[in-house]
Amino acid sequence: MAAVPGTQLVLAPELHLSAQPRLLEEQADYPDEVAVPVPGPLTKSLSELSRKHDVWLVPGTVFERADDGRLHNTALAFSPQGELVARYRKVFPWQPHEECAPGDHFVTFDIPDVGRVGLAICYDGNFPEAFRQLAWMGAEVVLQPTLTTTSDRPAELVLARANAIANQLYVVNVNAAGPAGLGRSILVDPEGIARVEAGEGEELVTDVIDLDAVTRVRRHGLAGVSCMWEQLMRAGPAIELPVYAGRIQPPPGD
Amino acid sequence: MAAVPGTQLVLAPELHLSAQPRLLEEQADYPDEVAVPVPGPLTKSLSELSRKHDVWLVPGTVFERADDGRLHNTALAFSPQGELVARYRKVFPWQPHEECAPGDHFVTFDIPDVGRVGLAICYDGNFPEAFRQLAWMGAEVVLQPTLTTTSDRPAELVLARANAIANQLYVVNVNAAGPAGLGRSILVDPEGIARVEAGEGEELVTDVIDLDAVTRVRRHGLAGVSCMWEQLMRAGPAIELPVYAGRIQPPPGD
């Protein structure tokens, strides 16, 4: 997407640089085999790539080997100057199928003079708290690299639209193309309207978006009437939500 | 719906017994004019109705005059024995268009030998926290009487499906028929599939649902693979969500 002249961003699907060669013949030790340190040689190459092409680059995610030896499914973001500006470790791995260690916090980065970008990865979208937290941190667009190979892709498309509607922000969900993934990438505007969609098994979409639409939709409301974000953020009587006590926690007694 | 032989529940739209006679010519003092105490003469009549017809009755919502004089948009639930088993004051009134005082907590009730029912009202569905909290309280189906007259009905249908998917429970969203509302009632199963939908301007749907599907879908997962509820509720490292500190609160500095 290009938000102002000269500002381009390229987003690749989840595990674009670390996926199994053949997803249907998964090897349990594959993530350990291909995991990389961040920063490291791979991020150095990606940095050069973003600088060479003068783009903001979110090259999907990689298996990251953390300093403590644990593996994470990690999204990276590089500026056109080649700086690694953000690293986000997936908070909701697709358990039990995905064995990565979960991250414990959400991440945004700023594109100067354009806006604030949030990062989410695939299954994070099934947990409304992920997008709520990113919106609260000021994200105007959430980039969500995805690698979905299963029959819940239609449900993910519903959730991508719902996450955009409830938080009145853009959602860009790029799902890997066939034969690895089921495709059907989607770019949703802050009123939940799908601006562009890729076909079955296809991932590539291009678009030009205006992040000022977030401010406009929040001010005038969904369909010109419903201002959820303003209502949620307004000072006033707090709403008790025992499900959260500063964090997601199991119910008492469980 | 009938969940076991002999167990029937009837659900009417939001403000079914208190709506403006002509919604497009709203009188600002109308809610004050028609507000009722709960319990009171109106709930006595509804109690008799539920007993007479041997049904669980959720007669939509009414304008309720609370003991402190404030007006609430309040959902009621009666057992087939005529008992008022639940009263829920809408936590997210459709501000600024709706001037009712917000409620401050969520409500469920039990149908013995069948399951637990949560109550939400219309605009509550635009706030994922409402359904999350109800699910955490054990709701297997959320009844959501609705009175939507505006162009965001398509967005509400997305949100109804998303609330069902994310929490792996049933959502029954009954929207007033024309000429008052835009209709398009929907009943969504715990995998987000619309079991029945009413047409444009129509509200009436009938269905037979099995609340055990909630347990089944949570155990085997959306599309047989994605078990969000189990993952969310599992004991383990907490996920920090500064947006909630036990409640919904504005960001620091705002």
Side-chain angles (χ1 to χ4, degrees):
Chain A
M1 62 186 147
V4 295
T7 302
Q8 290 202 324
L9 188 146
V10 175
L11 169 65
E14 184 183 19
L15 295 178
H16 191 59
L17 299 172
S18 296
Q20 309 268 0
R22 312 182 74 170
L23 277 172
L24 298 178
E25 299 171 22
E26 294 184 18
Q27 307 152 248
D29 55 355
Y30 187 78
D32 190 61
E33 207 173 286
V34 301
V36 295
V38 174
L42 177 61
T43 62
K44 187 160 180 293
S45 299
L46 290 164
S47 159
E48 282 161 16
L49 204 60
S50 68
R51 200 167 48 227
K52 178 176 168 193
H53 293 285
D54 191 29
V55 294
W56 293 82
L57 176 63
V58 178
T61 70
V62 297
F63 286 121
E64 177 199 2
R65 187 183 310 284
D67 290 342
D68 61 7
R70 301 205 302 173
L71 300 186
H72 294 281
N73 183 343
T74 301
L76 306 169
F78 298 86
S79 74
Q81 291 75 43
E83 190 192 353
L84 175 60
V85 293
R87 165 171 64 180
Y88 164 64
R89 294 168 170 171
K90 190 177 187 179
V91 166
F92 293 105
W94 189 45
Q95 296 172 349
H97 318 284
E98 180 182 352
E99 294 183 357
C100 285
D104 61 4
H105 67 280
F106 293 92
V107 173
T108 65
F109 66 92
D110 288 344
I111 298 183
D113 301 323
V114 175
R116 185 163 294 177
V117 181
L119 294 172
I121 303 171
C122 196
Y123 202 45
D124 285 333
N126 289 32
F127 297 84
E129 293 83 2
F131 281 69
R132 187 61 108 203
Q133 179 58 39
L134 288 167
W136 189 83
M137 292 165 71
E140 297 165 280
V141 53
V142 176
L143 306 180
Q144 185 184 10
T146 295
L147 173 52
T148 291
T149 61
T150 45
S151 308
D152 48 352
R153 184 65 189 156
E156 288 183 351
L157 297 176
V158 171
L159 293 165
R161 293 183 61 194
N163 288 327
I165 295 167
N167 297 295
Q168 305 191 292
L169 47 63
Y170 285 97
V171 173
V172 187
N173 179 306
V174 171
N175 187 35
L182 292 177
R184 302 187 70 186
S185 296
I186 191 169
L187 193 155
V188 189
D189 85 359
E191 295 184 89
I193 295 166
R195 289 180 51 87
V196 291
E197 290 183 84
E200 198 75 47
E202 296 172 0
E203 78 189 29
L204 188 66
V205 292
T206 61
D207 198 9
V208 178
I209 66 174
D210 172 12
L211 294 187
D212 289 345
V214 173
T215 309
R216 202 162 58 237
V217 168
R218 289 183 181 178
R219 180 179 306 135
H220 298 294
L222 168 63
V225 287
S226 298
C227 302
M228 288 83 77
W229 189 254
E230 189 272 336
Q231 183 160 342
L232 191 75
M233 291 298 118
R234 191 185 308 138
I239 297 159
E240 291 300 328
L241 291 168
V243 57
Y244 311 113
R247 62 188 64 80
I248 296 175
Q249 55 176 17
D254 269 34
Chain B
M1 61 185 147
V4 296
T7 301
Q8 290 202 322
L9 189 146
V10 175
L11 169 64
E14 184 183 19
L15 294 178
H16 190 59
L17 298 172
S18 296
Q20 308 267 1
R22 312 184 74 171
L23 277 171
L24 298 179
E25 299 171 22
E26 295 183 17
Q27 307 152 249
D29 55 355
Y30 187 79
D32 190 61
E33 208 173 284
V34 301
V36 295
V38 175
L42 178 60
T43 62
K44 188 159 179 294
S45 300
L46 290 166
S47 159
E48 282 160 16
L49 203 61
S50 67
R51 200 167 48 227
K52 178 177 170 193
H53 293 285
D54 191 29
V55 293
W56 293 83
L57 176 63
V58 178
T61 70
V62 298
F63 287 120
E64 176 199 3
R65 188 183 310 285
D67 291 341
D68 61 7
R70 300 204 301 174
L71 300 186
H72 294 280
N73 183 344
T74 300
L76 305 169
F78 298 87
S79 74
Q81 291 75 42
E83 188 192 354
L84 176 60
V85 294
R87 166 171 63 180
Y88 164 65
R89 294 167 170 171
K90 189 177 188 179
V91 167
F92 293 104
W94 188 45
Q95 296 172 350
H97 318 284
E98 181 183 352
E99 292 182 0
C100 285
D104 62 3
H105 66 281
F106 292 92
V107 173
T108 65
F109 65 92
D110 287 344
I111 299 183
D113 301 323
V114 175
R116 185 163 294 175
V117 181
L119 294 171
I121 304 172
C122 196
Y123 202 44
D124 285 333
N126 290 31
F127 297 83
E129 293 83 4
F131 282 68
R132 187 62 108 203
Q133 179 59 38
L134 288 166
W136 188 83
M137 292 164 71
E140 296 164 280
V141 53
V142 176
L143 306 180
Q144 184 184 11
T146 294
L147 173 52
T148 291
T149 62
T150 44
S151 307
D152 47 353
R153 184 66 188 154
E156 289 183 351
L157 297 176
V158 171
L159 293 165
R161 293 183 63 195
N163 287 328
I165 295 167
N167 297 295
Q168 305 191 290
L169 47 64
Y170 284 98
V171 172
V172 188
N173 178 305
V174 170
N175 187 34
L182 293 177
R184 302 188 70 186
S185 296
I186 190 169
L187 193 154
V188 189
D189 85 359
E191 296 184 89
I193 295 166
R195 288 180 51 88
V196 291
E197 290 183 85
E200 198 74 48
E202 297 172 358
E203 80 190 26
L204 188 64
V205 293
T206 62
D207 198 9
V208 178
I209 65 173
D210 172 12
L211 293 188
D212 290 345
V214 172
T215 309
R216 202 163 56 239
V217 168
R218 289 182 182 178
R219 180 179 305 135
H220 297 293
L222 168 63
V225 288
S226 297
C227 302
M228 288 83 77
W229 189 256
E230 189 270 337
Q231 182 161 342
L232 191 74
M233 291 298 117
R234 191 183 310 138
I239 297 159
E240 292 299 330
L241 292 168
V243 57
Y244 311 113
R247 61 189 64 81
I248 296 175
Q249 56 175 16
D254 269 35

